[in-house]
Amino acid sequence: GDLLDRGPDGLGVIALVRRLVDEAAAAGGSVHPLLGNHEVIGLGTRLFGSTEVVHRGVVRTFESIWARNGGLESDQDGIDAELFAWLAGLPAVGLDGDHLLMHSDTLAYLEWGDTVDDVNRAVREILTGDDPVAWFDVLVGLGRRHEYAGPSGPAAAQTLLGALGGQRIVHGHSIIGDLFDEPVDSYSEPRLYADGLALDIDGGIYDGGPCLVARLSG
């Protein structure tokens, strides 16, 4: 997730990922990108723009959130109907063996279902619709973070795993340096935490941190 708004050429990042999807399939493998909160911001801006939406008692606009998060006009100009549909159809969560893969370190996924298929179906239905309040529900949910950290973190992680499956959560969204209050140049590997139930792979490359890759076994 977060293919958009984390650097100077979000469309270039998306094009690269889509090429990898095609190349992997041609080689007999697979690449499966997941939905991040910045995709929802970008698509919501494309769909609703500066329309004011009352969400949980607060007046919000997607456009202002997009601008505040580094949104680029060039990226917006390049989101045509085909690309919009591809991004809106990205799964929110994935299960690969013992690993539950997702963008955000939050329990919000359980608000959309209690199986991987149910979560993905519910989010996809919202993002193929035009209800701005429901869109903001997804955005706010995916914007939550740090819910597997701290003393209550292992219990939260276990709750999610117990519902959606897997033995370990793998996520981005929260930069390791922010999550553990460390400089972004002080680590070079993904961080396992929450009693081994969660693996943070977000090095914060857009903020000067390392690009991290995790080889998952099992």
Side-chain angles (χ1 to χ4, degrees):
D2 283 6
L3 308 178
L4 289 167
D5 302 342
R6 299 290 80 185
D9 185 12
L11 294 180
V13 173
I14 294 170
L16 171 61
V17 170
R18 298 188 73 176
R19 178 168 62 81
L20 293 175
V21 170
D22 293 340
E23 290 178 353
S30 60
V31 168
H32 299 283
L34 297 175
L35 181 73
N37 57 306
H38 282 262
E39 281 72 65
V40 180
I41 295 171
L43 295 178
T45 299
R46 189 69 175 167
L47 186 60
F48 303 109
S50 60
T51 301
E52 293 186 343
V53 181
V54 179
H55 180 260
R56 301 182 186 179
V58 179
V59 178
R60 310 173 187 267
T61 73
F62 276 96
E63 187 174 72
S64 63
I65 296 171
W66 167 76
R68 190 164 63 247
N69 281 274
L72 300 176
E73 290 289 347
S74 56
D75 287 345
Q76 280 293 319
D77 291 342
I79 301 177
D80 58 17
E82 188 276 334
L83 181 54
F84 188 105
W86 185 83
L87 289 168
L90 291 177
V93 289
L95 185 61
D96 185 8
D98 290 337
H99 295 96
L100 183 63
L101 312 174
M102 62 194 59
H103 175 70
S104 307
D105 44 328
T106 176
L107 290 172
Y109 294 97
L110 297 181
E111 297 176 5
W112 301 305
D114 53 11
T115 71
V116 167
D117 287 344
D118 286 346
V119 171
N120 288 334
R121 185 181 303 109
V123 172
R124 188 174 294 115
E125 286 178 356
I126 291 170
L127 299 190
T128 54
D130 58 0
D131 180 352
V133 174
W135 271 74
F136 266 116
D137 283 339
V138 173
L139 177 56
V140 170
L142 291 181
R144 287 162 45 182
R145 65 178 76 242
H146 297 182
E147 294 183 11
Y148 314 142
S152 62
Q158 190 59 64
T159 295
L160 193 73
L161 291 166
L164 301 184
Q167 299 297 315
R168 177 173 292 163
I169 295 165
V170 181
H171 72 83
H173 190 52
S174 292
I175 297 174
I176 293 171
D178 292 339
L179 187 58
F180 298 99
D181 194 24
E182 300 174 7
V184 293
D185 60 355
S186 67
Y187 49 85
S188 59
E189 297 180 350
R191 183 68 55 85
L192 189 63
Y193 69 107
D195 292 348
L197 296 176
L199 182 69
D200 187 349
I201 63 171
D202 192 338
I205 187 171
Y206 79 92
D207 199 31
C211 179
L212 301 179
V213 176
R215 184 181 295 275
L216 307 177
S217 61

